[in-house]
Structure formats: structure tokens, C-alpha cells
């Protein structure tokens, strides 16, 4: 049996699938990831993306933070449409087969595809709030603002995104752990599995059907029961 046939059989037999994904899930929607050859790391900036998308940059170089954030992260995500991977996951959830999507992505595409139980480990570009008074703002307001988005109280409007150097929401992490511990199949897709603590979630899986669908090799390939190095949208459209 081919890997895809095995995966198809596992999925057909299961009603407790959990998916854990990253930026590679959205590249087929036209949003660049960080580490692929055409990802944001390979483009020329004064600083690597992880330096810019950090708490230090937001507070110390606020202009540059928002220039990069709006142009390279928000604008492409708002233009993007879900792809076959997002839609397939939503379909499995509707059929009662998939329990949760745990994502490192901040682009909102799983919800756009119809997924309901989406745990956003790194937050979302869709929500924003004033760092002084807490007032909430939508993403269109942030994108339309000139330079640094400012609240009427004078504070800076920041994204509800977990930046580098910032902590994850422990409620979301604990919920993710519970889903993974109980999962029958854990499918991990489109993530280089190098960003912690998110990447460490894989250790909580207790089953024997750990599936990795990622274009490039990862340091966790050796622990997976099934590894497919192909585009996730293409793989999922065959299931
Ligand atoms: P990453 O480190 O950029 O890794 C992406 C991985 O996906 C790489 O190993 C690629 O080989 C693989 N990949 C790329 N395209 C595909 C595809 N079509 N099918 C299968 N695999 C593919 O991204 P991670 O998510 O692992 O890193 C975590 C960071 C990146 C998180 O904090 C994200 O918030 C952040 N990020 C998010 C987005 C988004 O929301 N769409 C975009 C860019 C970066």
C-alpha cells in the first residue's frame, strides 16, 4: 500500500483525528512561510523575520515592526483564500471525524474554511487591541492606518499575536495537550517543528498513528509512523 492509501484507510477508520499545523498549510493559499526557499527568510531584509516579529521590535522599533507586519503578514493573509488542506480539515470536523485543528498560523484561514474548533497557539491577526486602554480593533483598521496604528487614547494598537519573546496562552496550550493526548491519529502538517514550545506538543501523543506531511524533512521524521514529503493541499485532495 502507498503512504497515501495507508493514510486514507486510517482516516476512514477514525473518529478522533487531531491536526497540528504551521505556515506550510497556507503556502498553497499564497502566504509565504518563514523557512521554505521562497519563504520570508530567503527574502532580503535588514533583519530576519523572527527578529522583526518580536516583542523587542514592537516596543523599540515600532515603525519598522508595523511596516513589515502589515506588508508581509497581514496584507497577504487578507487576500488569501483557504486551500484544499483547510477545506478537507473542515469537512472531517463536520463529519465528526476530526476533533480539533491546532495551528501556529495567525492567518484565520481555518475558520474561513469552516473549521470550528481551532486552537490558535500564536494568536491571530484578526484581533487587535490598544496596549494602553485595551480597546479592541479589527484587522482592517490596522491595515488602513498610516504607519503605527494608534488608539483614540494615544496608545498603540497591537495584534493579538504571540510575538517572539512572548509567552503562549496557557489555557490554549493545555487544551491542545488534552486533544493530542486523546487523539487516535495525530496529523502534523506544514511545519518545520523548530518553534518551541509549540513544537513540543508532539511529545504528548500516545497513539501509533503519527503522520507527518511536510515538504521538507523535519527533525521529527524518525518518530513518525507515516511520513509524506509532498504539498499538503495536494495530499489532502487525494484523501
Ligand atoms: P516554518 O518554519 O516556515 O516551516 C514551514 C514548513 O512547511 C517548512 O518545513 C516547509 O517545508 C513546509 N511547507 C511549505 N509549504 C508546504 C506545503 N504546501 N505542504 C507541506 N509542507 C509545506 O513555519 P512554522 O509554522 O513551522 O513556524 C512557526 C512560525 C511561523 C509560527 O509562529 C507562525 O506564526 C509563523 N508564520 C505563520 C504564517 C501564517 O499564519 N500563514 C506565515 C508565516 C509564518
Amino acid at each position: 500500500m502507498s503512504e497515501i492509501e495507508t493514510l486514507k484507510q486510517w482516516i476512514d477508520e477514525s473518529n478522533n483525528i487531531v491536526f497540528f499545523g504551521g505556515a506550510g498549510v497556507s503556502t498553497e493559499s499564497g502566504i509565504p512561510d518563514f523557512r521554505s526557499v521562497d519563504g520570508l527568510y530567503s527574502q532580503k531584509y535588514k533583519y530576519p523575520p523572527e527578529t522583526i516579529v518580536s516583542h523587542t521590535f514592537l516596543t523599540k522599533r515600532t515603525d519598522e515592526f508595523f511596516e513589515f507586519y502589515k506588508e508581509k503578514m497581514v496584507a497577504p493573509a487578507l487576500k488569501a483564500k483557504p486551500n484544499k488542506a483547510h477545506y478537507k480539515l473542515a469537512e472531517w470536523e463536520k463529519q465528526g471525524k476530526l476533533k480539533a485543528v491546532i495551528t501556529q498560523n495567525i492567518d484565520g484561514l481555518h475558520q474561513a474554511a469552516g473549521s470550528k474548533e481551532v486552537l490558535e497557539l500564536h494568536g491571530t491577526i484578526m484581533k487587535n487591541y490598544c496596549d494602553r486602554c485595551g480597546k479592541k480593533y479589527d484587522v482592517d483598521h490596522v491595515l488602513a492606518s498610516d504607519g503605527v496604528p494608534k488608539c483614540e487614547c494615544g496608545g498603540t494598537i497591537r495584534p493579538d499575536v504571540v510575538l517572539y519573546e512572548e509567552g503562549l496562552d496557557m489555557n490554549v496550550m493545555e487544551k491542545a495537550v488534552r486533544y493530542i493526548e486523546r487523539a487516535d491519529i495525530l496529523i502534523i502538517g506544514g511545519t518545520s517543528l523548530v518553534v518551541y514550545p509549540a513544537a513540543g506538543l508532539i511529545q504528548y501523543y500516545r497513539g501509533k498513528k503519527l503522520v507527518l506531511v511536510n515538504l521538507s524533512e523535519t527533525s521529527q521524521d524518525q518518530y513518525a509512523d507515516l511520513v509524506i514529503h509532498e504539498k499538503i493541499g495536494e495530499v489532502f485532495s487525494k484523501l
Side-chain angles (χ1 to χ4, degrees), residues 73-218:
M73 304 197 72
V74 178
L78 290 188
K79 265 193 264 154
K81 300 258 182 305
N83 63 51
K84 287 174 177 153
H86 299 104
Y87 283 120
K88 186 58 85 175
L89 291 164
E91 185 186 315
W92 289 336
E93 183 185 41
K94 219 169 163 196
Q95 294 168 345
K97 301 178 76 58
L98 180 130
K99 297 298 174 213
V101 168
I102 302 163
T103 184
Q104 299 164 83
N105 292 349
I106 54 175
D107 56 30
L109 287 182
H110 286 293
Q111 290 90 337
S115 282
K116 300 282 180 254
E117 186 67 341
V118 183
L119 306 188
E120 294 172 307
L121 297 174
H122 294 160
T124 172
I125 60 164
M126 300 299 169
K127 295 184 192 157
N128 303 272
Y129 62 91
C130 170
D131 67 359
R132 195 179 295 170
C133 73
K135 184 172 179 203
K136 293 184 175 135
Y137 288 88
D138 65 19
V139 66
D140 296 325
H141 182 93
V142 171
L143 197 61
S145 60
D146 231 357
V148 177
K150 285 287 181 192
C151 179
E152 48 202 26
C153 80
T156 298
I157 301 169
R158 64 154 291 171
D160 200 350
V161 164
V162 181
L163 303 173
Y164 289 93
E165 306 160 352
E166 294 181 336
L168 275 69
D169 180 333
M170 273 307 131
N171 290 326
V172 181
M173 267 307 255
E174 281 167 19
K175 215 169 162 190
V177 167
R178 282 201 296 277
Y179 275 119
I180 290 176
E181 276 175 341
R182 295 192 205 127
D184 167 26
I185 308 178
L186 177 62
I187 306 177
I188 300 178
T191 170
S192 58
L193 290 172
V194 299
V195 177
Y196 280 79
L201 280 174
I202 181 173
Q203 290 159 10
Y204 293 94
Y205 177 62
R206 306 257 169 270
K208 291 199 165 51
K209 288 170 183 162
L210 178 61
V211 183
L212 258 171
V213 185
N214 203 61
L215 261 188
S216 58
E217 279 178 32
T218 77

